[in-house]
Each structure stands twice: as C-alpha cells, then as structure tokens.
C-alpha cells in the first residue's frame, strides 16, 4: 500500500456557519443547503445514509434516496418487507446523514418514523419509470436468492403480466417519513474545528439551536 490510511486528511476551508446566518427553521435551512447542492451539480445530492436498529439495539445502515421533504419530515420509499422495513416496524426510530463532500457539508437527522398515506405512495409510484415499477414487484428485497437469473426471471414474468398495462403499486411497497427531533448542520472548517449547529425540537413545536464542539 503506497499511502497510510492514517495519513489521509483534508483541511476544510470553503465556508463557515454562524448562528447569525442560519435560519431559525431547520427545514428552510435544509432547503437552502439542498438547493446549493443541486446548483453545484453534485452526483445524487439526495443520497443519504439511513440507519435503523432492532429493538435490542443492533444497528444497520445503508444508502437510500430522499424523494420528498417538507415541515412534516423527510420521505423515502422502499419494500416494507425489506430488512429496513422489518426493523422500522419493530423500532420506528431512525437516523439520516447527508454528506456533500464538494461543499464540505454534512446534515444529520434523528427522529421517529411513520408510513406515509397510501395516496402519497400511489402518487410517487405512478411517476416512476415503467421498469422501476416492475422491479418493485420482481424483487423480494433482502431475501436470499440462488442467483441473478432468479431476479431476471421474475422481472420477465411481470413484464409479460403487465405488458401494455399500467403497473399498480405493490401492497408491500411504499413510503416512510422520518419526523426529525434533531437536525444538525455541519460545516467543515480548518484544523478540524468544524462548525456544528444543532436544532432540537421542543415540546411546543419550536426549535432550539445550540452550537456543538467539533
């Protein structure tokens, strides 16, 4: 190995983050940062880590895609029978992390999780590409299969079944909303003295903003 992993480092110098600049509403602040990530043409700026856990605290994390957000929370879609779906059914708490390396920014979200309304899931499913809709039927997500050919055979079966037809949403597929209790905005700074501003939801629905030591 040519380079020691411990020697890999970068000094973050692009921007700062101050209490004077940040919006008192974390959803407005998130939209401001997300729009900047879009404007910077980052690859998949809506990619985020979703962390879930079993009731006894065994964690799992994976990359998923944000598909909507508003002041109710952050929405993703998946198979309800998947590994993450089973964990969320047993323990409806999750964490999200966005990492926008080119902007030297991270957003961390912690909250509870609920399924979105069926009508909302239907609306999103209808605008998915045709083959993506078929894929939702073909894949028993997270289940062990003997080989790739099993998945492709199942896809072909549903292609025949729904040839020249609208593909309905599977009952086992839909959206979850992460309802945040905490949202942290992290801006990389020089010498590892990063800016970290944490929003915490209060009982009255307002948000408290605190600076965290890096």
């Amino acid at each position: 190995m040519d380079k020691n992993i411990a020697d890999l480092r970068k000094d973050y110098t692009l921007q700062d983050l101050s209490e004077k600049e940040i919006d008192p509403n974390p959803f407005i602040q998130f939209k401001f940062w997300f729009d900047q990530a879009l404007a910077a043409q980052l690859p998949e700026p809506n990619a985020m880590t979703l962390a879930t856990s079993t009731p006894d605290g065994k964690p799992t994390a994976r990359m998923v895609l944000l598909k909507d957000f508003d002041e109710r929370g952050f929405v993703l879609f998946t198979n309800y029978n998947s590994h993450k779906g089973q964990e969320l059914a047993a323990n409806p708490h999750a964490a999200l992390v966005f990492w926008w390396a080119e902007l030297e920014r991270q957003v961390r979200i912690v909250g509870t999780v609920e399924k979105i309304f069926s009508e909302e899931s239907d609306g999103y499913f209808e605008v998915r590409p045709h083959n993506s809709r078929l894929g939702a039927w073909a894949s028993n997500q997270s289940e062990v299969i003997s080989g790739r050919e099993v998945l492709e055979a199942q896809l072909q079966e549903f292609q025949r079944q729904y040839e020249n037809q609208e593909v309905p949403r599977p009952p086992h597929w839909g959206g979850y909303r992460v309802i945040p209790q905490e949202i942290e905005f992290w801006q990389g700074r020089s010498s590892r003295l990063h800016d970290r501003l944490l929003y915490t939801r209060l009982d009255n629905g307002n948000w408290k903003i605190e600076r965290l030591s890096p």
Side-chain angles (χ1 to χ4, degrees):
M1 186 172 180
D2 295 333
K3 191 172 182 66
N4 192 320
I5 293 177
D7 293 332
L8 295 174
R9 57 176 53 86
K10 177 183 176 181
D11 201 30
Y12 299 120
T13 59
L14 286 181
Q15 300 184 58
D16 60 12
L17 182 64
S18 73
E19 292 84 345
K20 295 179 181 179
E21 298 172 351
I22 203 164
D23 195 280
N25 184 320
F27 298 103
I28 294 176
Q29 182 63 36
F30 180 85
K31 185 179 186 307
F32 178 65
W33 271 21
F34 189 77
D35 286 347
Q36 289 189 328
L38 289 174
Q41 299 184 327
L42 305 188
E44 294 200 289
N46 60 328
M48 57 187 181
T49 300
L50 167 68
T52 58
S53 70
T54 60
D56 60 354
K58 180 182 178 182
T60 312
R62 77 290 284 162
M63 299 301 296
V64 298
L65 296 177
L66 176 71
K67 288 300 179 179
D68 193 17
F69 69 91
D70 55 26
E71 297 213 3
R72 294 175 295 172
F74 299 83
V75 175
L76 61 114
F77 292 87
T78 190
N79 187 315
Y80 292 142
N81 298 326
S82 65
H83 189 168
K84 56 183 169 297
Q86 294 178 39
E87 290 194 347
L88 289 172
N91 181 12
H93 297 81
L96 303 172
V97 178
F98 294 85
W99 170 238
W100 297 315
E102 294 84 347
L103 301 178
E104 300 175 353
R105 287 174 172 172
Q106 174 182 267
V107 180
R108 182 180 61 85
I109 299 163
V110 177
T112 57
V113 181
E114 65 180 13
K115 287 183 179 179
I116 67 174
F117 294 123
S118 296
E119 295 79 7
E120 294 176 278
S121 290
D122 289 339
Y124 173 69
F125 192 79
E126 289 170 1
V127 301
R128 297 186 92 206
H130 182 76
N131 283 339
S132 295
R133 283 179 274 169
L134 291 174
W137 282 99
S139 174
N140 298 318
Q141 195 174 79
S142 301
E143 290 190 8
V144 176
I145 57 175
S146 59
R148 174 79 187 182
E149 63 277 3
V150 174
L151 191 62
E152 293 179 349
Q154 290 176 169
L155 178 60
Q156 290 174 5
E157 179 182 337
F158 284 107
Q159 286 174 332
R160 288 191 294 269
Q161 181 177 341
Y162 290 109
E163 186 176 7
N164 300 321
Q165 297 183 49
E166 284 298 313
V167 182
R169 178 175 64 89
H172 56 265
W173 190 99
Y176 290 100
R177 178 177 288 108
V178 179
I179 304 167
Q181 301 302 313
E182 294 182 358
I183 305 180
E184 179 191 327
F185 293 86
W186 180 102
Q187 178 71 59
R189 297 294 302 277
S190 183
S191 304
R192 291 296 187 264
L193 295 179
H194 311 303
D195 287 328
R196 299 177 60 190
L197 296 182
L198 174 67
Y199 293 76
T200 303
R201 191 193 297 268
L202 303 176
D203 291 340
N204 62 8
N206 292 329
W207 294 87
K208 175 176 65 174
I209 302 176
E210 298 173 299
R211 176 173 288 270
L212 303 181
S213 181

